Amino acid sequence: MCGIIGIASNKPVSINIINSLKKLEYRGYDSAGLATLINNFINEKKCSGRVDELEKILFKSPSDGNIGIGHVRWATHGVPNVVNAHPHSSKNVSVVHNGIIENSDELKKELELKGIKFKSQTDTEVITLLITEALKNSEPLVAVFSILKKLKGSFALGIIFKDFPDIIIGARRGSPLAVGFSNNENYLGSDSYALKSMTNKISYLDDGELCILTENSVSFYDSNLKKINKKIHIVSKDENISDKGDYKNFMSKEIFEQPITAKKCVNEYIDSIKKDINIYNFPLEPKKIKKIILIGCGTAYHSCLVAKYWFEELTKIDIEIDIASEFRYRNIKFNSNNLYIFVSQSGETADTAAALDICKKNNVKTCAVVNTIESTIARNSDWVLPIHAGPEIGVASTKAFIGQLIVLYILSLKFSSMREEIDKKIYYQKIKNLEKLPNSIKNTLLLEPDLQLMAKEFLDARGSMFLGRGCSFPIALEGALKLKELSYLHAEGYPAGEMKHGPLALIEEGLPVIVIAPKDKYFEKTLSNMQEVIARGGKIFFFTDNKKELISENIRFGLRITNIDNFLSPILMTIPLQLLAYHVALLKNCDIDKPRNLAKSVTVE
Ligand code: M6R
């Protein structure tokens, strides 16, 4: 993953580099570093851990220099320590890198045979040393260009040179790279968000392209090193997102913002006067769609899974879902009558972006359901449906998931209506129910004290299980993902009907088992599956919208979530699961906004 920044200016840059790195921490927070050029000397500062640490180092020993690069790391090659932190510098060159060099071992051996020594365990140091060698015979741009051909894998690079103190070179393949323009200052960054507090004028490098920045010029080159012009985009203003208000952390803020997220999303897509869904400009005429393929990773994949049930119930369209990292390597039979929908909060997830690229190469119609409308996935799709959740900072996705679900549900309803596959009365009733959703989410959040109590029961557990059927199955997966990601407690999500095919062997006395059972067509079946767990000693936490079934001596905890429409129950059932994971993590003193080993945006394969 990792985030990179570069600034060429007429004034010292280290403070702005630190501020941008703070914004890029969503890409990794294992270590941080920067390098500036001072009197033809590369001045490097690095630390393991967070950007705050780097800031402290800089406070004690300031680093001047009007040109510099910075990096936040999510470790791939080599443990997260100071030596492996970026930038990786030789005497002449300093490099920050986002991506993975797949043939780094091979290249390292070649360099070692020439007597060149490595300091770190990273793949990036290979780039530094290759450029250092190439600089012996060529000027910087040609040197960088010549070594890029040797690299396999993905990269976004920012490079500064001891003997060329006015320039930063940027290059990309696979990993995104943005260039920002201002007066007497130009920038490189992993995304426009990192640059927004400094400029709103942004260009995006395409694969294979390079750029050279000075304080008052930017030049772009294509993959043949031919000078090119790039379009300048005017991006939206910076949003102040650093304020947690009265909340302990961003995650709790984001959980409690969900009624607003839902309201914004519903207002955006539902015409409150006509009481109809206002989605237009379809890339494919809905009646002609043969199949919809929904693709995402992690939580976004779970929203695809839920959407599969909605589309299947409401339309006659064939639905397929896939995890992006699988989709991109499958032997897919593309069809121009299919619609390929990519779901992503960040819009920068490497696997999802690569799966989208494959679709584009096969000339099929694509749609992005994203939170970040200036992202790579949004820019590269034929059609964008924003979820309007606002910036999500906590690594665990909460309000973005709810936004994704709402957009996908609205889309399934719209298609169903345009294809004349839903009774008009039911359609308008469903729209009315949707308008009630923000308030229902608000009421569900009032259950927090119950979830605080339940959380205590997980403290000594060796693991846990989440069960559901139909639409509640993906919600079980999402509940389990939230718990493991936040509290590091082993959690498995299963379709309840699968238990007797293996997982039942895991049930032992006192194992927490969360059963998600709205009163839908699966309800009785889920109850039977629950009895099988009870018979083997599982400690049941029963989440339902049916009051009657709550009281049973075999149920450790029952929670009633008031429902307004069976189609909306996956959205409402998610809320208590988020709160449960949150409170278990809080009791275990975990780092809630930045869980170990993770990053908000997974920008490497
Ligand atoms: O930005 P994306 O939605 O594409 O991210 C996909 C996953 O990495 C993400 O949902 C991840 O699973 C979350 N941390 C889960 O809470």
Side-chain angles (χ1 to χ4, degrees):
M1 262 94 75
C2 311
I4 69 173
I5 175 84
I7 308 181
S9 178
N10 63 353
K11 53 183 188 293
V13 291
S14 57
I15 292 177
N16 277 346
I17 290 182
I18 291 284
N19 290 338
S20 302
L21 289 181
K22 284 184 182 165
K23 292 187 156 183
L24 287 169
E25 261 192 326
Y26 76 90
R27 291 174 162 257
Y29 37 81
D30 288 344
S31 59
L34 60 76
T36 52
L37 275 179
I38 306 165
N39 302 328
N40 284 65
F41 173 74
I42 295 170
N43 185 16
E44 216 186 61
K45 307 247 186 253
K46 312 206 268 195
C47 68
S48 65
R50 313 267 161 98
V51 178
D52 285 348
E53 284 307 309
L54 188 64
E55 195 172 22
K56 282 183 203 155
I57 294 175
L58 221 65
F59 187 70
K60 281 191 203 141
S61 124
S63 185
D64 284 339
N66 294 357
I67 208 151
I69 49 177
H71 190 269
V72 283
R73 179 168 187 247
W74 183 84
T76 58
H77 293 57
V79 293
N81 59 19
V82 179
V83 177
N84 290 331
H86 297 217
H88 288 282
S89 310
S90 65
K91 213 172 120 229
N92 297 325
V93 179
S94 187
V95 176
V96 286
H97 168 215
N98 168 33
I100 292 183
I101 305 305
E102 289 162 4
N103 58 340
S104 61
D105 283 351
E106 202 180 297
L107 295 168
K108 190 172 176 179
K109 273 185 205 138
E110 282 173 25
L111 288 166
E112 279 173 337
L113 281 175
K114 292 186 188 167
I116 294 167
K117 298 244 174 326
F118 282 76
K119 291 182 273 193
S120 77
Q121 300 156 306
T122 64
D123 51 342
T124 306
E125 201 179 354
V126 162
I127 306 175
T128 306
L129 296 175
L130 282 172
I131 299 173
T132 307
E133 283 296 285
L135 274 175
K136 289 178 182 164
N137 308 312
S138 352
E139 48 96 11
L141 185 64
V142 176
V144 171
F145 181 71
S146 68
I147 74 105
L148 295 184
K149 290 180 200 146
K150 299 185 181 168
L151 306 179
K152 288 191 185 144
S154 61
F155 52 79
L157 300 172
I159 311 157
I160 55 173
F161 307 83
K162 171 177 97 59
D163 296 325
F164 302 87
D166 302 329
I167 61 165
I168 303 179
I169 292 188
R172 81 155 273 194
R173 187 199 298 157
S175 307
L177 195 56
V179 173
F181 307 83
S182 188
N183 293 334
N184 302 320
E185 205 164 87
N186 291 305
Y187 319 93
L188 266 188
S190 288
D191 60 21
S192 58
Y193 170 62
L195 309 180
K196 271 188 186 179
S197 61
M198 302 179 287
T199 182
N200 65 346
K201 292 193 199 93
I202 303 283
S203 286
Y204 298 96
L205 256 65
D206 286 313
D207 263 354
E209 292 178 350
L210 297 97
C211 61
I212 301 187
L213 272 63
T214 69
E215 68 178 66
N216 41 35
S217 72
V218 178
S219 310
F220 293 100
Y221 301 87
D222 70 8
S223 54
N224 296 314
L225 217 54
K226 200 173 133 243
K227 220 168 175 179
I228 50 169
N229 292 321
K230 298 284 295 179
K231 185 177 167 196
I232 298 179
H233 302 253
I234 305 298
V235 298
S236 60
K237 283 221 184 90
D238 201 15
E239 290 177 67
N240 180 13
I241 51 159
S242 56
D243 189 10
K244 291 196 279 260
D246 289 338
Y247 292 97
K248 277 199 177 82
N249 41 53
F250 280 106
M251 187 190 177
S252 57
K253 177 175 179 258
E254 285 155 11
I255 289 177
F256 281 89
E257 268 171 11
Q258 290 178 118
I260 304 169
T261 308
K263 197 162 181 51
K264 271 200 198 158
C265 205
V266 168
N267 287 350
E268 196 64 33
Y269 290 104
I270 292 180
D271 184 323
S272 59
I273 300 176
K274 288 190 197 146
K275 299 282 174 209
D276 202 350
I277 296 170
N278 55 7
I279 301 183
Y280 311 103
N281 303 326
F282 306 97
L284 266 179
E285 157 60 31
K287 278 191 178 165
K288 290 195 180 135
I289 295 176
K290 201 167 166 255
K291 194 194 245 188
I292 292 176
I293 298 93
L294 293 139
I295 299 147
C297 299
T299 289
Y301 170 68
H302 295 159
S303 50
C304 298
L305 265 167
V306 177
K308 177 183 160 82
Y309 290 89
W310 284 329
F311 277 105
E312 282 178 353
E313 288 288 332
L314 293 167
T315 74
K316 293 197 169 81
I317 309 173
D318 269 354
I319 306 294
E320 213 176 283
I321 43 163
D322 217 332
I323 292 177
S325 56
E326 291 297 315
F327 179 91
R328 63 184 289 190
Y329 293 111
R330 283 177 49 214
N331 187 14
I332 309 277
K333 311 289 175 286
F334 288 95
N335 188 314
S336 56
N337 292 321
N338 293 351
L339 177 63
Y340 298 79
I341 302 182
F342 294 85
V343 184
S344 172
Q345 186 284 129
S346 61
E348 298 294 348
T349 301
D351 284 317
T352 314
L356 169 64
D357 278 349
I358 293 167
C359 289
K360 281 179 63 187
K361 281 186 190 127
N362 283 280
N363 293 317
V364 288
K365 293 294 178 208
T366 57
C367 165
V369 174
V370 285
N371 196 24
T372 318
I373 46 169
E374 282 134 10
S375 61
T376 307
I377 291 172
R379 289 198 316 275
N380 291 347
S381 298
D382 295 315
W383 196 39
V384 183
L385 295 175
I387 64 169
H388 301 290
E392 191 183 64
I393 309 295
V395 164
S397 191
T398 51
K399 62 175 182 172
F401 181 59
I402 296 303
Q404 289 160 0
L405 290 179
I406 296 173
V407 170
L408 290 168
Y409 177 55
I410 291 177
L411 189 64
S412 66
L413 268 176
K414 183 71 179 175
F415 278 175
S416 161
S417 143
M418 293 194 69
R419 291 164 59 93
E420 297 167 63
E421 288 168 343
I422 188 170
D423 179 276
K424 281 280 160 206
K425 244 167 111 193
I426 298 178
Y427 173 71
Y428 289 115
Q429 183 57 49
K430 296 229 166 284
I431 290 177
K432 268 194 199 155
N433 294 346
L434 253 171
E435 288 182 314
K436 292 185 203 147
L437 182 66
N439 208 32
S440 299
I441 296 178
K442 204 168 166 185
N443 291 335
T444 310
L445 286 165
L446 297 176
L447 296 170
E448 188 180 23
D450 295 284
L451 294 143
Q452 258 169 312
L453 269 183
M454 285 187 205
K456 290 185 184 153
E457 304 272 334
F458 285 71
L459 287 186
D460 299 321
R462 293 204 311 182
S464 59
M465 287 200 127
F466 290 69
L467 306 180
R469 295 181 82 126
C471 264
S472 303
F473 157 53
I475 299 307
L477 291 178
E478 176 60 9
L481 178 63
K482 286 288 95 89
L483 188 64
K484 55 188 148 197
E485 161 174 57
L486 288 167
S487 73
Y488 320 140
L489 178 71
H490 187 74
E492 287 290 343
Y494 266 102
E498 268 290 293
M499 285 302 281
K500 52 174 94 61
H501 300 289
L504 210 48
L506 294 174
I507 304 295
E508 55 186 20
E509 200 58 42
L511 184 92
V513 180
I514 293 89
V515 178
I516 305 154
K519 186 101 175 103
D520 55 17
K521 65 178 178 188
Y522 304 95
F523 185 66
E524 312 298 340
K525 305 262 174 226
T526 310
L527 288 195
S528 307
N529 299 138
M530 180 174 82
Q531 291 307 333
E532 292 154 10
V533 173
I534 290 172
R536 285 151 184 94
K539 193 201 284 181
I540 300 289
F541 297 77
F542 186 62
F543 291 15
T544 186
D545 50 14
N546 184 21
K547 203 169 184 180
K548 205 176 97 218
E549 304 291 334
L550 276 182
I551 306 138
S552 152
E553 58 189 79
N554 292 321
I555 291 176
R556 175 76 181 176
F557 269 102
L559 193 73
R560 181 162 178 257
I561 295 103
T562 310
N563 198 5
I564 34 173
D565 183 328
N566 265 346
F567 280 80
L568 297 176
S569 83
I571 299 178
L572 293 172
M573 288 286 174
T574 300
I575 311 295
L577 295 172
Q578 294 170 342
L579 287 168
L580 177 67
Y582 173 77
H583 281 290
V584 177
L586 203 62
L587 288 173
K588 291 182 86 177
N589 236 341
C590 297
D591 190 341
I592 292 196
D593 285 338
K594 292 192 170 89
R596 71 182 182 204
N597 304 338
L598 300 179
K600 180 72 184 155
S601 179
V602 183
T603 56
V604 290
E605 212 187 325

